[in-house]
Amino acid sequence: MPSETLARPTPDVIAKYEPVIGLEVHVQLASRTKIYCGCPTGFGAAPNTNVCPVCLGMPGALPVLNKTVVELAVMTGLALNCRINPLSRLARKNYFYPDLPKGYQISQFDQPLAEHGWVEIEGKRIGVTRVHIEDDAGKSQHEGFKDSERNTYVDLNRCGTPLAEIVSEPDMRSAAEAYAYVTELKQALQFAEVSTCDMEKGHLRCDANVSVRLKGATKLGVKAEVKNVNSFRFLREAVDYEILRQIGVIESGGRVMQETRLYNPDTGETAGMRSKEQAHDYRYFPEPDLVPLRVGERWLGEIRSRMPELPAARRNRFLHQYGLSDYDAGVLTASRDLADYFEKAAAASPDAKAAANWVMGDLMATLKAEGKEIAASPVSAERLGELVTLIAKGELSGKLAKEIFPKMFATGDAPAAVMQREGLQQISDTGTIAAIVDQVLAANPKQVEQYKSGKTAVMGFLVGQVMKASRGQANPALANQLVKEKLG
Ligand code: ADP
Ligand code: ZN
Ligand code: MG
C-alpha cells in the first residue's frame, strides 16, 4: 500500500486541511455484578469461574437487567449533560466471535438510554450523541507463534460485564481536543463514581474516528476508525498520525478509504484492519427477552439527587469561593478525594490560599515521593489546617513549618505536638530574643553604623540574622520590634 509510505506533508499543506474527530468510548460501569445475571465482575479471578448459564449464553437462559447498572448508566448520562430517555430499548447486535458464546451482544440501537449531551473543553462544547448500555464479551488469549503450535484459550469471566458506550459528535478538530475531551469525560465519570476509568484494567477503552477535509468544506470527509488506543498518550499519537496519513493520501491523488485501523504503539502508526465492505452487518433487532427500559420521573429524580458536584462546577466554585487561580483550581479538582481534602484543610484554616499552596506543594510532593494516594495521607486535612493556622497566627514561621511538616507526615501527629517534642516552638519570650539581638548587633558593627547613618534598609539584614541565630524560632514580629528598639 503506497499510502503507508507517503512522505510527511509540509506545514503549508497541512494548514489547508481541517481534521475532524469523533470518539467512541467504552467504560466499565462500577457494578459488583454483571449486567444480565448475578455473577461477580471482579478482576483477576481464575478463568471461567465467574460464569453462569446466562453469561455463558446457554440456550434458554434468560437475562435479567441489573438495576444498579441502569442507575450507573443514567448517572453517566447526567454527568455528560445528556437527556435521559424515559423509554429506551435493549437490542440484539449479532455477530460471531469465539469469546461471545451467545452470538450477540445485548446493546441498544435506535432508542438509547441517554442522548444530546456535551462535554466542555477549554470553553468549547463537544457534543455527546448518545450513551447506551451493553454487555462486554469474553477474552481470547493466543499462545505460541507458529500456526502449528498456536493455541487459543477463551476466558468468559468478562462476558456480561456492564459497559456504557459513549459516542461523541464529530466535533473535535485536533488530537489535543480529543485528548482534552477524554480527560474531561474521565474526570466527570470518576467524580460521579460510575466507573474507575482505569485504562490499565480496560475499564476505559477508546476508538477514534478521524477524517480530514479542506478548510471551508461543509461536507465531512471519509473517516477511518482507529481501534486499540489504550492510553491517552496513544490516542493523541494515533490521531496525529492518522491526520497526516490521510492528508498524504489525498495530496498524492488518492482517496481515504472507510475502514477500521489498528494503532501500533511500537511504531506510532496505524494500519488497515478491515474495510467497510468487510464490516459486520449486525442485524440489530429489539431484544425479545427484555421489556423496554422505563426510567420514570421519580426514579430519575432519585438518581439525580445522588449526583455529586461535577468537576467543572467544582473548579468554577473554587475560583470564586477560595480565590484560587484557574491553574490551582484545576490541580485541586484532579480527583474528588483531592478536592475533598483541600476543602477540609481550607475549612480548618483561616487562609484557603495558603492551604491550597501546602496541599499542592509539600503535601503532594511528599505523597508522590512515598507513592501514596491522597486518601492515604498520614497528614489529615485537619492537621494540615492546624499547620496553616499556626503560621497565620504568627506562632510558627514558614521556615519552621517546612521542618515540621515532614515530621507530621512521618508520624501523623498534630503540628503542635511535633513542635513541643522537637523543641521547635516559636520563641516569644522578649528576654531570650533581646539577648540574641544583642549578640547579632555586636557581631555586625558595620551594618549598625550604616543604619545609624541613615541606611535603614539594612535593618532587614539584621532581623534576618536574628532569625537565623534562633534557627527560625524567634517570633519574627518581636525580633523586628526589638532590633528597631535597640538601634534606637
Ligand atoms: P458508523 O456508522 O461508522 O458507526 P457513526 O455515524 O455511528 O458511524 O459515528 C461513529 C463515530 O464516528 C461518532 O463518534 C461520530 O462522531 C464519528 N464520525 C462520524 N463521521 C465522521 C467523520 N466523517 N469524521 C470523523 N468522525 C466521524
Ligand atoms: Zn453469569
Ligand atoms: Mg455507529
Side-chain angles (χ1 to χ4, degrees), residues 187-262:
Q187 211 190 359
L189 301 193
Q190 284 180 330
F191 267 58
E193 292 178 337
V194 297
S195 173
T196 65
C197 295
D198 185 343
M199 279 192 115
E200 271 168 31
K201 289 187 181 155
H203 291 186
L204 188 155
R205 290 170 254 161
C206 186
D207 301 330
N209 296 272
V210 181
S211 66
V212 298
R213 61 180 172 186
L214 282 171
K215 280 187 182 154
T218 46
K219 245 186 82 192
L220 290 178
V222 175
K223 72 174 159 78
E225 182 180 358
V226 186
K227 293 199 174 278
N228 203 26
V229 197
N230 45 29
S231 82
F232 285 11
R233 181 164 68 87
F234 293 166
L235 171 68
R236 193 148 51 179
E237 290 171 5
V239 170
D240 267 333
Y241 176 85
E242 194 52 27
I243 291 168
L244 292 183
R245 183 189 71 83
Q246 293 184 10
I247 293 174
V249 168
I250 297 169
E251 284 290 315
S252 67
R255 272 181 25 214
V256 174
M257 291 204 314
Q258 177 147 354
E259 62 179 352
T260 304
R261 298 177 70 86
L262 278 183

Side-chain angles (χ1 to χ4, degrees), residues 54-382:
V54 173
C55 54
L56 286 174
M58 298 289 189
L62 290 172
V64 176
L65 182 56
N66 181 335
K67 187 176 172 191
T68 300
V69 169
V70 175
E71 292 181 341
L72 290 168
V74 168
M75 291 175 86
T76 303
L78 293 175
L80 305 176
N81 306 297
C82 289
R83 199 178 76 198
I84 307 301
N85 289 326
L87 183 97
S88 69
R89 222 176 266 280
L90 285 305
R92 279 195 192 181
K93 180 180 182 182
N94 298 280
Y95 60 99
F96 172 79
Y97 214 73
D99 54 26
L100 184 71
K102 292 202 302 305
Y104 55 86
Q105 271 179 295
I106 304 178
S107 180
Q108 298 194 286
F109 187 50
D110 51 352
Q111 290 173 272
L113 178 62
E115 289 177 284
H116 311 299
W118 47 266
V119 168
E120 192 163 310
I121 55 164
E122 294 136 19
K124 172 178 172 179
R125 279 191 183 179
I126 306 299
V128 171
T129 316
R130 53 188 275 146
V131 175
H132 69 249
I133 50 173
E134 61 186 25
D135 50 346
D136 206 349
K139 258 188 204 161
S140 298
Q141 265 169 37
H142 306 289
E143 176 198 84
F145 296 100
K146 277 188 262 159
D147 277 351
S148 57
E149 289 172 4
R150 188 159 165 153
N151 292 310
T152 295
Y153 301 92
V154 179
D155 177 6
L156 299 176
N157 282 347
R158 205 177 63 181
C159 280
T161 296
L163 301 178
E165 180 172 340
I166 302 154
V167 182
S168 87
E169 290 291 303
D171 285 349
M172 287 154 273
R173 294 292 174 267
S174 67
E177 285 193 359
Y179 185 90
Y181 168 81
V182 282
T183 303
E184 199 67 38
L185 178 146
K186 174 180 171 184
Q187 211 190 359
L189 301 193
Q190 284 180 330
F191 267 58
E193 292 178 337
V194 297
S195 173
T196 65
C197 295
D198 185 343
M199 279 192 115
E200 271 168 31
K201 289 187 181 155
H203 291 186
L204 188 155
R205 290 170 254 161
C206 186
D207 301 330
N209 296 272
V210 181
S211 66
V212 298
R213 61 180 172 186
L214 282 171
K215 280 187 182 154
T218 46
K219 245 186 82 192
L220 290 178
V222 175
K223 72 174 159 78
E225 182 180 358
V226 186
K227 293 199 174 278
N228 203 26
V229 197
N230 45 29
S231 82
F232 285 11
R233 181 164 68 87
F234 293 166
L235 171 68
R236 193 148 51 179
E237 290 171 5
V239 170
D240 267 333
Y241 176 85
E242 194 52 27
I243 291 168
L244 292 183
R245 183 189 71 83
Q246 293 184 10
I247 293 174
V249 168
I250 297 169
E251 284 290 315
S252 67
R255 272 181 25 214
V256 174
M257 291 204 314
Q258 177 147 354
E259 62 179 352
T260 304
R261 298 177 70 86
L262 278 183
Y263 177 66
N264 180 345
D266 297 329
T267 60
E269 298 178 353
T270 65
M273 188 172 96
R274 59 169 184 258
S275 73
K276 196 67 187 178
E277 292 80 70
Q278 295 161 274
H280 294 114
D281 172 6
Y282 294 120
R283 297 177 293 116
Y284 278 102
F285 60 84
E287 168 58 52
D289 291 337
L290 288 168
V291 294
L293 173 55
R294 280 177 204 283
V295 180
E297 269 309 313
R298 234 178 79 198
W299 192 20
L300 181 58
E302 229 172 80
I303 300 170
R304 203 188 286 277
S305 73
R306 281 184 242 155
M307 289 294 287
E309 186 180 22
L310 292 166
R314 205 159 181 186
R315 269 197 304 271
N316 202 33
R317 183 165 62 77
F318 278 17
L319 296 182
H320 298 108
Q321 186 174 341
Y322 303 112
L324 300 181
S325 67
D326 270 335
Y327 177 81
D328 292 355
V331 172
L332 292 171
T333 52
S335 74
R336 206 168 141 178
D337 283 344
L338 183 60
D340 288 347
Y341 185 102
F342 160 68
E343 290 212 85
K344 266 195 216 145
S349 72
D351 182 348
K353 254 179 160 159
N357 288 337
W358 274 95
V359 173
M360 293 187 298
D362 294 56
L363 178 66
M364 279 173 67
T366 314
L367 287 170
K368 194 171 171 209
E370 306 267 317
K372 283 198 164 87
E373 298 289 334
I374 185 79
S377 170
V379 178
S380 70
E382 289 77 10

